[in-house]
Amino acid sequence: LLSQPEQMGEIIHQVVEACRPTPVTAKIRLGCTRDHVNAIEIAQVVEAAGAAALTVHGRTAQDMFRGTADWDAISSIKPYLKKIPLIGNGDLDSADKVVDVFRRYDVDGVMIARACLGRPWLFNQAAAALRGDPVPPDPTLAEQRACMIRHYEKVCTRFGEQKGTLLMRKYACCYAQGKHGARHFRTHVARVSTREEFLAVVEEHFPQERPVEPTLA
């Protein structure tokens, strides 16, 4: 009988062969629990099975998204990979953090995940920072709303209006997160089921720029 890592390696190998010449990449966590961190062993299995790249999230499965990502643990995997790139993932929610990771840790690339769900402009900001260019500011709320609507239209094109509208409930909440009136918007957008309802809720309830309070001279 094959061990679990050997079984994993065989599965990855079969997927690689089935998808050839399209590259197959893998993403793992550090391990199942903090007491059983085996990312180095699994990384070697992934590489030996023919994967083109490996992404490692700096938490264990037990952690879920609690605590902070362990980038030292991610970086420690690099010396054990012979040829495939190591991509780090976890807690990258700003351009500054992306730059800092490349400065401090031995990784070939980074993956931005949850932080981009309602902030797709984060990629442009990170790319500018890595080039040494000025980091573009966040879009205005009106621009963010327009971006969200474009996102919605693309999701509907891909999945159809009914499924696309249901999927967009989550993403629309991400766009509003942290803004004044976000809870009110979430309450309404969580109930939409048609294009007309979604666009009407966005028009009426998506957070807007707050007026500047007058100051006394």
Side-chain angles (χ1 to χ4, degrees):
L1 295 177
L2 296 177
S3 66
Q4 286 186 342
E6 288 173 332
Q7 290 175 344
M8 179 184 296
E10 180 59 28
I11 291 171
I12 295 172
H13 174 72
Q14 292 180 16
V15 173
V16 168
E17 291 302 316
C19 294
R20 195 178 298 280
T22 302
V24 172
T25 66
K27 183 181 180 184
I28 65 172
R29 286 194 170 217
L30 298 177
C32 292
T33 68
R34 289 285 174 174
D35 295 327
H36 186 62
V37 171
N38 61 347
I40 290 176
E41 176 188 5
I42 299 304
Q44 292 174 308
V45 169
V46 168
E47 181 173 53
L54 174 68
T55 299
V56 181
H57 179 82
R59 293 180 175 85
T60 67
Q62 183 185 49
D63 294 331
M64 299 182 69
F65 293 105
R66 294 185 295 269
T68 56
D70 188 343
W71 280 86
D72 287 309
I74 296 173
S75 183
S76 70
I77 299 168
K78 179 63 177 175
Y80 295 89
L81 296 176
K82 298 178 180 178
K83 59 183 179 180
I84 66 173
L86 174 65
I87 302 166
N89 169 238
D91 300 341
L92 298 180
D93 57 7
S94 71
D96 287 343
K97 288 186 179 180
V98 171
V99 172
D100 187 58
V101 158
F102 277 112
R103 180 178 61 84
R104 297 175 57 193
Y105 300 105
D106 191 8
V107 294
D108 301 296
V110 299
M111 175 183 287
I112 299 174
R114 288 177 297 154
C116 75
L117 289 180
R119 298 165 56 206
W121 48 88
L122 180 56
F123 294 105
N124 282 337
Q125 293 173 328
L130 290 171
R131 292 192 303 267
D133 296 339
V135 176
D138 285 349
T140 65
L141 285 181
E143 291 169 336
Q144 292 181 35
R145 181 175 65 177
C147 178
M148 182 182 66
I149 292 174
R150 290 196 302 272
H151 186 171
Y152 171 67
E153 296 297 347
K154 289 181 181 296
V155 170
C156 287
T157 298
R158 173 65 177 83
F159 295 103
E161 180 181 331
Q162 181 179 16
K163 185 175 181 181
T165 301
L166 296 180
L167 287 171
M168 201 63 194
R169 291 175 177 179
K170 170 184 176 180
Y171 301 130
C173 291
C174 292
Y175 277 92
Q177 185 175 354
K179 299 177 176 62
H180 179 71
R183 180 178 298 180
H184 180 74
F185 174 70
R186 288 197 302 268
T187 299
H188 287 82
V189 82
R191 297 196 293 262
V192 300
S193 59
T194 67
R195 178 190 300 272
E196 290 74 17
E197 290 174 349
F198 179 82
L199 295 178
V201 166
V202 171
E203 178 66 27
E204 186 173 355
H205 300 293
F206 187 77
Q208 299 180 9
E209 303 285 356
R210 300 181 69 179
V212 177
E213 296 292 338
T215 57
L216 296 177

